[in-house]
């Protein structure tokens, strides 16, 4: 699995985007999140990749300083009530941890999360112990992850023993008390 395939998996996750619409208030563009109804100044996203719903489909582009979207060499002007999707960042520590996993473990973990109703974008905390052990030949420890999908909380402990052989498993606990041990993923 190459990096592009992982990127596609990450982009297809639920809650991967802030989705909302824009309005011009006092000569400034304001983005209103559809879920939280929070308002943000659109200028906070200048230089970032965004998607704009234009001509009946989502178009990827970069928000420019002059408040337009540059999409495949085409300059799209912002309009009142235009729908935007702004990619959410993945928790930095989780992103580093996912990058250290072999492809099979990455794919199975993300599939488990999705099947449980969570997304990698739901991660509100990750302590990546593995990143502190990079120089060691034998690595052993536990990574801690906490996910919140708005309906439930999921705590995941990724236990690992890495050396000549690899042994990894996940101990998962939901906020309703349900537990699951995932071994030999």
């Amino acid at each position: 699995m190459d990096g592009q395939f992982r990127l596609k998996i990450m982009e297809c996750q639920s809650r991967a985007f802030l989705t909302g619409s824009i309005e011009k208030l006092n000569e400034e563009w304001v983005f209103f999140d559809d879920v939280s109804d929070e308002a943000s100044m659109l200028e906070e996203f200048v230089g970032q990749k965004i998607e704009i719903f234009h001509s009946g489909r989502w178009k990827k582009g970069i928000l420019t300083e002059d408040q337009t979207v540059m999409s495949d060499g085409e300059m799209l002007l912002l309009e009142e009530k235009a729908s935007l999707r702004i990619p959410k960042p993945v928790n930095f520590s989780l992103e580093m941890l996912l990058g250290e996993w072999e492809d099979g473990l990455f794919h199975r973990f993300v599939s488990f999360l999705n099947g449980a109703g969570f997304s990698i974008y739901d991660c509100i905390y990750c302590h990546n112990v593995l990143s502190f052990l990079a120089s060691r030949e034998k690595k052993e420890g536990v990574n801690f992850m906490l996910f919140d999908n708005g309906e439930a909380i999921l705590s995941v402990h990724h236990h690992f023993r890495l050396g000549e052989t690899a042994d990894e498993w996940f101990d998962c606990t939901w906020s309703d008390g349900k537990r699951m041990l995932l071994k030999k993923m």
Side-chain angles (χ1 to χ4, degrees), residues 4 10 14 27 33 45 52 56 69 76 81 87 98-99 104-105 115-116 142-143 145 167 174 181:
Q4 284 292 83
M10 292 172 73
S14 57
E27 300 303 313
D33 186 311
F45 305 105
I52 184 167
V69 177
L76 305 174
K81 304 291 185 192
L98 295 173
L105 183 65
V142 180
N143 295 307
M145 295 165 273
D167 190 19
W174 281 259
L181 185 66

Side-chain angles (χ1 to χ4, degrees), residues 116-150:
F118 291 87
S119 160
I120 58 172
Y121 294 94
D122 294 331
C123 183
I124 58 174
Y125 178 77
C126 178
H127 184 73
N128 178 1
V129 174
L130 199 53
S131 67
F132 298 105
L133 307 176
S135 63
R136 293 190 185 171
E137 199 171 306
K138 187 176 181 180
K139 300 169 183 149
E140 190 171 339
V142 180
N143 295 307
F144 299 91
M145 295 165 273
L146 195 59
F147 297 87
D148 181 350
N149 67 3

Side-chain angles (χ1 to χ4, degrees), residues 5-65:
F5 188 69
R6 282 188 182 213
L7 188 59
K8 280 286 184 209
I9 290 173
M10 292 172 73
E11 285 178 349
C12 293
Q13 296 287 296
S14 57
R15 295 173 293 284
F17 295 93
L18 296 172
T19 304
S21 59
I22 56 172
E23 292 180 28
K24 199 162 199 174
L25 304 173
N26 299 324
E27 300 303 313
E28 296 284 340
W29 285 106
V30 180
F31 173 78
F32 292 93
D33 186 311
D34 285 345
V35 175
S36 67
D37 212 27
E38 281 187 35
S40 305
M41 299 304 291
L42 194 60
E43 69 184 17
E44 294 175 27
F45 305 105
V46 167
Q48 292 185 29
K49 293 179 183 178
I50 66 167
E51 293 183 18
I52 184 167
F53 197 73
H54 186 270
S55 300
R57 67 185 183 94
W58 289 104
K59 288 190 169 187
K60 293 182 179 186
I62 304 287
L63 182 64
T64 65
E65 284 198 33

Side-chain angles (χ1 to χ4, degrees), residues 106-185:
F106 169 84
H107 187 263
R108 288 185 295 274
F109 179 72
V110 171
S111 294
F112 158 74
L113 270 182
N114 294 167
F118 291 87
S119 160
I120 58 172
Y121 294 94
D122 294 331
C123 183
I124 58 174
Y125 178 77
C126 178
H127 184 73
N128 178 1
V129 174
L130 199 53
S131 67
F132 298 105
L133 307 176
S135 63
R136 293 190 185 171
E137 199 171 306
K138 187 176 181 180
K139 300 169 183 149
E140 190 171 339
V142 180
N143 295 307
F144 299 91
M145 295 165 273
L146 195 59
F147 297 87
D148 181 350
N149 67 3
E151 296 175 11
I153 305 273
L154 173 65
S155 174
V156 179
H157 297 172
H158 167 238
H159 298 260
F160 60 90
R161 285 189 208 112
L162 306 172
E164 289 181 27
T165 60
D167 190 19
E168 297 180 83
W169 66 96
F170 295 89
D171 186 358
C172 307
T173 306
W174 281 259
S175 52
D176 65 2
K178 177 182 158 191
R179 293 190 67 206
M180 183 183 292
L181 185 66
L182 303 168
K183 185 105 167 123
K184 289 292 179 193
M185 290 183 71

